[in-house]
Amino acid sequence: MSEEVCRTDDLQVGELGIFKVAGRELVVVRTGSHEFYALPNRCPHQGAPLGRGRLGGTFLPSEVGIYQYGREGQVLRCPWHRWEFDVTTGCSLHDPDGCRVASYSLEVRGDRVILATTDQRT
């Protein structure tokens, strides 16, 4: 079973939106022309609405004294306490093995973004 989440033109690349699907409120992020990711609209720390957070990037591992910024549009920061989550996996950046939110697989079919309601990545 699958459900339509949104239309591809509802979000531009680098934007996020909040959509209610199958009884769940999801934050959907568009990272590329046909790349969409979904997370629950709730931070595991204290329940903040992640969809009101900021989408950006992060500093990448690099040599001492070199500051390289990357992953623009793939890191979602909680609006309350700035916890950061990788939108492609749901893993937190500070503790990827211990702290995460669910991550839902989305598929683009024509101009529709579809959630497979039984497919939750963990």
Side-chain angles (χ1 to χ4, degrees), residues 8 11 15 17 40 46 49 51 63 65 80 106 114 116 120-121:
T8 55
L11 297 172
E15 287 186 338
Q46 290 189 345
E63 296 179 34
W80 291 357
L106 299 179
I114 305 297
Q120 175 183 335
R121 297 180 300 196

Side-chain angles (χ1 to χ4, degrees), residues 1-23:
M1 187 168 126
S2 61
E3 297 219 20
E4 183 174 323
V5 176
C6 62
R7 306 294 245 178
T8 55
D9 60 359
D10 287 339
L11 297 172
Q12 298 300 311
V13 173
E15 287 186 338
L16 61 82
I18 300 170
F19 300 92
K20 192 159 192 159
V21 181

Side-chain angles (χ1 to χ4, degrees), residues 91-100:
C91 292
S92 73
L93 296 188
H94 77 280
D95 184 9
D97 295 326
C99 180
R100 63 183 312 134

Side-chain angles (χ1 to χ4, degrees), residues 43 45-48 77-84:
C43 181
H45 177 227
Q46 290 189 345
R77 287 176 188 83
C78 174
W80 291 357
H81 300 108
R82 307 292 184 248
W83 283 34
E84 297 176 317

Side-chain angles (χ1 to χ4, degrees), residues 64-75:
V64 174
I66 304 295
Y67 299 97
Q68 183 178 357
Y69 188 79
R71 303 200 55 212
E72 184 62 40
Q74 294 182 359
V75 177

Side-chain angles (χ1 to χ4, degrees), residues 14-109:
E15 287 186 338
L16 61 82
I18 300 170
F19 300 92
K20 192 159 192 159
V21 181
R24 295 176 267 201
E25 196 168 86
L26 301 178
V27 177
V28 177
V29 177
R30 185 173 187 173
T31 61
S33 61
H34 287 89
E35 295 173 348
F36 291 81
Y37 297 93
L39 306 172
N41 189 28
R42 182 168 164 54
C43 181
H45 177 227
Q46 290 189 345
L50 287 176
R52 293 185 185 236
R54 185 173 181 165
L55 191 61
T58 190
F59 286 98
L60 304 174
S62 57
E63 296 179 34
V64 174
I66 304 295
Y67 299 97
Q68 183 178 357
Y69 188 79
R71 303 200 55 212
E72 184 62 40
Q74 294 182 359
V75 177
L76 181 56
R77 287 176 188 83
C78 174
W80 291 357
H81 300 108
R82 307 292 184 248
W83 283 34
E84 297 176 317
F85 296 93
D86 179 335
V87 299
T88 67
T89 65
C91 292
S92 73
L93 296 188
H94 77 280
D95 184 9
D97 295 326
C99 180
R100 63 183 312 134
V101 294
S103 174
Y104 299 93
S105 295
L106 299 179
E107 180 181 320
V108 175
R109 295 183 196 159

